[in-house]
Amino acid sequence: MDNAAIEEMFAALGPVTVKRMFGGKGIYFEGRILALEVDGDILLKADAESGPEFEAAGSSQWAYDGKGKAVKMPYWSIPEDAFDDPDEMARWVRLAYEAALRAKK
């Protein structure tokens, strides 16, 4: 996904910064990472508080293969409904930013 499309997706928050990392991209707002772009997919940050909301919406948690076993990361796919509804996308983006604020630096 190109940076302009990413910036549009996160417009409800304000201007985001997109940085290349690990073959993908990190998406930052006010210095905090709130999402990743991996293999063309955007994954939103979640934590113990917001993760259940992502799961209930049908999102999947990102995991990578770490020496033969899956390692779950605190990033979730965007719920399908959000792609067709800018207000819904704004809601999920805000949840990701709130999780980023709660995360330890």
Side-chain angles (χ1 to χ4, degrees):
M1 180 174 289
D2 69 21
N3 289 3
I6 292 170
E7 290 165 359
E8 183 178 329
M9 185 177 286
F10 289 86
L13 284 178
V16 294
T17 304
V18 181
K19 298 180 184 179
R20 295 209 48 77
M21 62 186 300
F22 310 117
K25 298 175 182 179
I27 302 159
Y28 298 79
F29 180 66
E30 296 184 348
R32 305 235 182 202
I33 189 163
L34 69 141
L36 301 174
E37 184 267 342
V38 178
D39 297 327
D41 293 324
I42 299 295
L43 304 167
L44 299 176
K45 188 171 193 71
D47 57 11
E49 187 173 323
S50 60
E53 287 188 62
F54 280 89
E55 188 172 20
S59 296
S60 57
Q61 188 173 10
W62 179 51
Y64 69 89
D65 183 28
K67 298 182 182 177
K69 69 177 191 176
V71 177
K72 291 185 176 184
M73 299 298 292
Y75 294 93
W76 291 74
S77 62
I78 297 171
E80 288 297 320
D81 295 347
F83 290 102
D84 296 327
D85 183 342
D87 292 333
E88 194 66 14
M89 181 64 77
R91 175 181 176 275
W92 292 104
V93 166
R94 283 189 195 97
L95 280 175
Y97 181 58
E98 290 165 6
L101 288 173
R102 289 188 294 268
K104 294 179 181 178
K105 276 196 163 185

